[in-house]
Amino acid sequence: MFRGKNYKESAKLIDKQALYDPMEAMKLVISASKAKFDETVELHVKLGVDGRHADPPVRGAIVLPNGTGKSVRVLVFCKDERKEECLEAGADYAGGMDLVEKIQKENWFEFDTVIASPDMMGTVGRLGKVLGPKGLMPSPKAGTVTPNLKQAISEAKAGKVEYRLDKTNIIHCPIGKVSFGAEKLFENYAALIGAIIKAKPAAAKGQYIRSCVTASTMGPGVKINAQKQL
């Protein structure tokens, strides 16, 4: 695979065989960031759980202490009488069948998070085939199907992230921006890894966290010693 000059220079800072303490890993990710934009920092956690058959599935959502650094566009499916309430709470879009049709007919996806009141799921279900593959389908597990729409909107805007185990048994999640600095990235990391540990299925055997790697958008991966007590 072709690697650019900046990537090669950054890779020299990191020992590929080493397992770094979480705080040290965050400092290295920042040092290795050479892009001219504020890169997103992601966490990739491989679990010793089969993502296709885990019961219960390893999935949930958490509001990161320092947010994600990203401006989140929120769409809410609700009854007409609650539209104003949602827009006042900070939703970018709120509606019902009108938004369903806009998505279906115009292939419109100018939003990052979808929230729905329980009484709208019959309508929203029609969008399963288009929202599902994009990871946008509302779910009770992620707290995006709820009667408390104001709280859900507030959490989404504050930096709520959903984590879920994919078919390759890996969780991929943003934990902030390079500009956050190591301290804030570490706080977000600690909150997310703590939530993942709490979500461990009772039936899981052997080593739960197989590997944990953090990386910026354009930078090399840094392996974290996730067994290190937070």
Side-chain angles (χ1 to χ4, degrees):
M1 181 185 291
F2 174 78
R3 298 293 193 185
K5 180 182 175 183
N6 285 344
Y7 183 96
K8 289 176 181 176
E9 288 296 316
S10 296
K12 291 177 184 176
L13 301 171
I14 298 157
D15 181 348
K16 288 185 177 180
Q17 306 306 315
L19 282 179
Y20 292 95
D21 286 351
M23 178 61 87
E24 191 178 356
M26 299 308 148
K27 290 177 180 177
L28 275 172
V29 163
I30 293 168
S31 298
S33 172
K34 305 293 185 185
K36 294 179 180 178
F37 61 93
D38 192 8
E39 296 179 60
T40 294
V41 177
E42 291 195 342
L43 194 68
H44 308 277
V45 185
K46 186 172 181 65
L47 299 183
V49 175
D50 190 334
R52 294 164 298 179
H53 306 296
D55 186 25
V58 181
R59 181 181 180 184
I62 182 173
V63 178
L64 296 176
N66 302 298
T68 62
K70 181 181 177 183
S71 179
V72 180
R73 300 166 297 177
V74 177
L75 181 151
V76 181
F77 287 107
C78 61
K79 298 291 187 183
D80 285 347
E81 58 268 22
R82 300 195 68 181
K83 279 175 65 173
E84 199 61 38
E85 169 196 344
C86 293
L87 293 171
E88 287 179 0
D92 297 271
Y93 311 99
M97 200 61 206
D98 54 329
L99 292 178
V100 171
E101 290 178 353
K102 185 174 177 67
I103 292 168
Q104 288 176 325
K105 295 176 181 178
E106 300 176 26
N107 199 31
W108 175 73
F109 292 100
E110 299 297 315
F111 47 88
D112 307 296
T113 297
V114 180
I115 296 166
S117 56
D119 55 7
M120 288 299 292
M121 284 310 292
T123 301
V124 180
R126 305 178 192 194
L127 296 172
K129 288 184 179 179
V130 291
L131 293 182
K134 293 179 180 291
L136 291 169
M137 193 65 184
S139 77
K141 184 79 173 176
T144 46
V145 176
T146 173
N148 192 342
L149 298 176
K150 279 187 178 181
Q151 182 181 340
I153 294 164
S154 176
E155 289 178 346
K157 289 288 185 177
K160 186 175 187 177
V161 295
E162 183 179 357
Y163 58 89
R164 67 169 82 185
L165 197 61
D166 67 14
K167 292 176 182 177
T168 62
N169 306 331
I170 300 175
I171 289 172
H172 307 274
C173 233
I175 55 170
K177 297 282 188 179
V178 166
S179 62
F180 279 22
E183 192 74 40
K184 287 185 176 180
L185 287 174
F186 171 77
E187 289 171 358
N188 281 356
Y189 158 81
L192 179 59
I193 205 76
I196 292 170
I197 290 169
K198 279 186 180 177
K200 179 181 178 180
K205 306 294 183 185
Q207 188 177 352
Y208 179 53
I209 297 181
R210 295 286 177 85
S211 68
C212 184
V213 178
T214 186
S216 62
T217 308
M218 306 293 287
V222 181
K223 294 178 182 177
I224 298 176
N225 180 6
Q227 309 305 323
K228 186 83 173 176
Q229 291 300 309
L230 299 172

